[in-house]
Amino acid sequence: MDTLSSREEEPVGRQHAQRVDLAVSTVIFALRPSPETGRMTLWLPLVRRIREPYEGRWALPGGWLAADQDLETSARRTLVRTTGLTPRYLEQLYAFGGLDRSADDPTRVVSIVYWALVHPDEAAQAIDSDNVEWFAADDLSELAFDHRTIVDYAVWRLRTKMEYSRIAHGFLGETFTLAQLRQVHEAVRGCSLDPANFRRQILASDAIEDTGQRLTGTSHRPPRLYRYNTAVQLADHGPLTPSQESKEQA
Amino acid sequence: MDTLSSREEEPVGRQHAQRVDLAVSTVIFALRPSPETGRMTLWLPLVRRIREPYEGRWALPGGWLAADQDLETSARRTLVRTTGLTPRYLEQLYAFGGLDRSADDPTRVVSIVYWALVHPDEAAQAIDSDNVEWFAADDLSELAFDHRTIVDYAVWRLRTKMEYSRIAHGFLGETFTLAQLRQVHEAVRGCSLDPANFRRQILASDAIEDTGQRLTGTSHRPPRLYRYNTAVQLADHGPLTPSQESKEQA
DNA sequence: TCAAAAGTGTTCTTTATACACCCATGG
DNA sequence: CCATGGGTGTATAAAGAACACTTTTGA
């Protein structure tokens, strides 16, 4: 055989390269209380489709890759245009390129999907319109394309990464109490945690530092306010962009 | 503002979607003894470029996405064409889409990169030619494009995943001794491990099962041969394709 | 019998978990 | 004062690391 080199793979001038539409979408997570139970749960904003295929269905915010923007920049651009959101935490999730992603529609689209966390202040910037709506992650309607699969995968990714990384503060503002941080972990992991042990583990990890301030206005002993210790980096087992390798994002 | 919906993002008929060349590449790892120290180290096959840009430089095996193949199928096809390899373990690594990936060349290419593990039998199928060569992962020449960055990221990914997953058997054949399995861990993680503790941890995890056979021909007590216990699944913290979510690949 | 690696046992340290208890504030 | 969550102490269990020791083969 003489197909040893990349001869077949790269025709002259690239004019034989298969070109596909390249979309960029994002799964954005925020925490808010469930309207029924009142417990904190995962929510995400979806955008209503206004044309075929899947017209009227809810879909992930996103758009096409811009020729003059890299992947993450395109994700941020489409995100702010469709939802108004500019998340601090944004990370690539996966590239989806199955052949049957668009049901009957024969168009081939490859999607680079990102996932993001927003805290309440960021989420408040979201566009308020009939075409943008927040849904509970565990109570989604039928979504467009394979977006339900993508959301499920992103939820799984968030849950597993929460256990070994310190992404929880993506859901919190500049300062926060240990109880708030614990509530984030409880909401995402879906179980209650011992406050005493949680405190010791977090403090031992050196992930946060005391601001010296306390939160007042509660009907009990005022809790300390903490901030994230940006000086300390933790091991990360998830996909970071190569330039961030042994650093921790956010 | 009236950019609420995806109106701007999806022009009629998609003819306004930015089209880019979509490449698929793979970082393939195998273990073989270092020619100097004799210790097992990471090696990977590279393909020599036979045209500009980067003509003559070594590059990751890969090619263009085929219109009628999904991402993984395209990765396997380009892999076997360029290197002759058909790895059992193959997983998506990351999508690279920076604007300056091709140096002076203004062509925009987005690469979906996979990573793979091959055991000695698989590696023996590799094409033997001037245009395919194996390199030690810690002693690479200047590679084409941003492939050095990609390789470094893949190495980091392999190392971190080795610690919590059971991918080590991607480097081994059907049956193996505990010493062989331990050597794989030692080579990838770059440290020596206590044989006694390693044995207990692996056996306690139920990841492998005794074949009842022993390896003979050694100049000492014949070790047992084990195989992987495919019935038991371990938690995985890395990116799997959504359909594999709570399952473990390979 | 000796070398070398297989395989087992024991101790110690670290980490996680469960839960009792005191503290400080608003009402 | 009481209720409520903040915050500390402690005892137990599980997991990991270090290392002595016995076993079984080929030479």
Side-chain angles (χ1 to χ4, degrees):
Chain A
M1 72 207 291
D2 66 5
T3 59
L4 306 189
S5 67
S6 52
R7 210 171 301 140
E8 286 193 6
E9 300 304 319
E10 189 172 318
V12 177
R14 280 209 176 80
Q15 61 271 52
H16 294 124
Q18 301 288 353
R19 299 200 149 195
V20 296
D21 290 328
L22 227 180
V24 181
S25 304
T26 305
V27 183
I28 310 159
F29 292 113
L31 287 182
R32 51 173 67 180
S34 162
E36 297 111 31
T37 68
R39 281 188 62 250
M40 290 293 256
T41 51
L42 273 178
W43 290 72
L44 50 106
L46 297 175
V47 176
R48 195 198 303 273
R49 283 189 59 80
I50 58 170
R51 69 182 74 255
E52 292 294 340
Y54 295 103
E55 182 171 351
R57 284 276 185 84
W58 295 100
L60 291 172
W64 302 113
L65 178 72
D68 60 344
Q69 294 183 325
D70 64 25
L71 300 176
E72 183 176 322
T73 305
S74 282
R76 291 192 182 280
R77 170 184 53 83
T78 60
L79 217 52
V80 69
R81 287 212 183 149
T82 54
T83 66
L85 294 167
T86 56
R88 205 174 38 172
Y89 185 96
L90 182 67
E91 177 182 326
Q92 195 182 109
L93 177 66
Y94 202 77
F96 294 85
L99 296 174
D100 55 349
R101 299 187 59 229
S102 195
D104 320 319
D105 190 342
T107 314
R108 173 82 184 272
V109 177
V110 171
S111 290
I112 315 284
V113 180
Y114 280 74
W115 62 295
L117 308 182
V118 289
H119 56 254
D121 291 348
E122 289 173 323
Q125 306 298 317
I127 289 168
D128 188 18
S129 116
D130 283 349
N131 291 324
V132 181
E133 199 169 305
W134 289 81
F135 294 85
D138 56 2
D139 183 30
L140 293 177
S141 58
E142 294 246 326
L143 304 190
F145 306 106
D146 55 352
H147 289 190
R148 176 58 182 270
T149 305
I150 296 176
V151 168
D152 288 346
Y153 181 54
V155 169
W156 173 83
R157 183 107 182 73
L158 167 63
R159 292 223 161 97
T160 54
K161 185 154 185 174
M162 180 75 72
E163 289 177 29
Y164 61 84
S165 184
R166 30 188 288 208
I167 56 175
H169 82 287
F171 286 119
L172 297 170
E174 185 65 22
T175 63
F176 47 86
T177 68
L178 275 170
Q180 291 170 333
L181 182 60
R182 179 167 49 83
Q183 279 165 25
V184 171
H185 277 87
E186 289 177 338
V188 173
R189 293 166 59 175
C191 61
S192 56
L193 301 170
D194 184 307
N197 295 331
F198 181 80
R199 158 185 303 274
R200 269 186 293 259
Q201 284 172 16
I202 292 291
L203 292 180
S205 78
D206 237 29
I208 62 176
E209 59 183 17
D210 194 340
T211 63
Q213 299 177 311
R214 286 167 188 273
L215 179 67
T216 54
T218 61
S219 71
H220 53 77
R221 178 175 176 175
R224 294 171 189 272
L225 283 169
Y226 295 86
R227 76 169 65 88
Y228 263 83
N229 184 354
T230 52
V232 177
Q233 309 297 344
L234 250 70
D236 190 319
H237 295 172
L240 298 175
T241 56
S243 60
Q244 298 169 321
E245 247 173 71
S246 42
K247 296 180 251 170
E248 168 72 283
Q249 182 179 6
Chain B
M1 73 207 288
D2 66 5
T3 59
L4 307 189
S5 66
S6 52
R7 212 170 300 142
E8 286 193 7
E9 300 303 319
E10 189 172 316
V12 178
R14 281 207 176 82
Q15 61 270 52
H16 293 124
Q18 303 287 354
R19 298 202 149 194
V20 298
D21 290 328
L22 228 180
V24 181
S25 303
T26 305
V27 184
I28 309 159
F29 292 113
L31 287 182
R32 50 173 68 179
S34 161
E36 297 110 33
T37 69
R39 282 188 58 249
M40 290 292 256
T41 50
L42 274 178
W43 291 71
L44 49 107
L46 297 175
V47 176
R48 195 198 304 272
R49 284 190 58 81
I50 57 170
R51 69 182 73 254
E52 292 294 341
Y54 295 104
E55 181 171 351
R57 285 275 185 84
W58 295 99
L60 291 173
W64 302 114
L65 179 71
D68 60 345
Q69 293 183 325
D70 64 26
L71 300 176
E72 183 176 322
T73 305
S74 283
R76 292 192 182 279
R77 170 183 53 83
T78 61
L79 217 53
V80 70
R81 286 213 184 148
T82 54
T83 67
L85 294 167
T86 55
R88 206 175 35 172
Y89 186 96
L90 182 66
E91 177 183 325
Q92 195 181 109
L93 177 66
Y94 202 76
F96 294 83
L99 296 174
D100 55 348
R101 299 187 59 228
S102 196
D104 322 318
D105 190 341
T107 313
R108 174 81 183 274
V109 177
V110 171
S111 289
I112 314 284
V113 179
Y114 280 74
W115 62 296
L117 308 181
V118 289
H119 57 253
D121 291 347
E122 290 173 321
Q125 305 298 317
I127 289 169
D128 188 18
S129 116
D130 283 350
N131 291 324
V132 181
E133 199 169 306
W134 288 81
F135 295 84
D138 56 2
D139 183 32
L140 293 178
S141 59
E142 294 246 325
L143 303 190
F145 306 106
D146 55 354
H147 289 190
R148 176 57 182 272
T149 305
I150 295 175
V151 168
D152 288 345
Y153 181 54
V155 169
W156 173 83
R157 182 105 184 75
L158 168 63
R159 293 223 160 98
T160 54
K161 185 154 185 174
M162 181 75 74
E163 289 178 26
Y164 61 83
S165 186
R166 28 187 291 206
I167 57 174
H169 83 287
F171 287 119
L172 297 170
E174 185 66 21
T175 63
F176 47 86
T177 69
L178 275 170
Q180 291 171 332
L181 182 61
R182 179 167 49 82
Q183 279 166 25
V184 171
H185 277 88
E186 288 177 339
V188 173
R189 292 167 58 176
C191 62
S192 57
L193 301 170
D194 185 305
N197 295 331
F198 181 80
R199 159 186 300 275
R200 271 186 292 260
Q201 284 171 14
I202 292 290
L203 293 179
S205 76
D206 236 29
I208 62 176
E209 59 182 18
D210 194 341
T211 64
Q213 299 177 311
R214 285 167 188 273
L215 180 68
T216 55
T218 62
S219 72
H220 54 78
R221 178 174 175 175
R224 295 170 189 271
L225 283 169
Y226 295 86
R227 76 168 67 87
Y228 263 84
N229 183 355
T230 52
V232 178
Q233 308 298 345
L234 251 69
D236 189 319
H237 296 173
L240 298 175
T241 56
S243 60
Q244 298 170 320
E245 247 174 73
S246 43
K247 296 180 251 171
E248 169 71 283
Q249 182 179 6

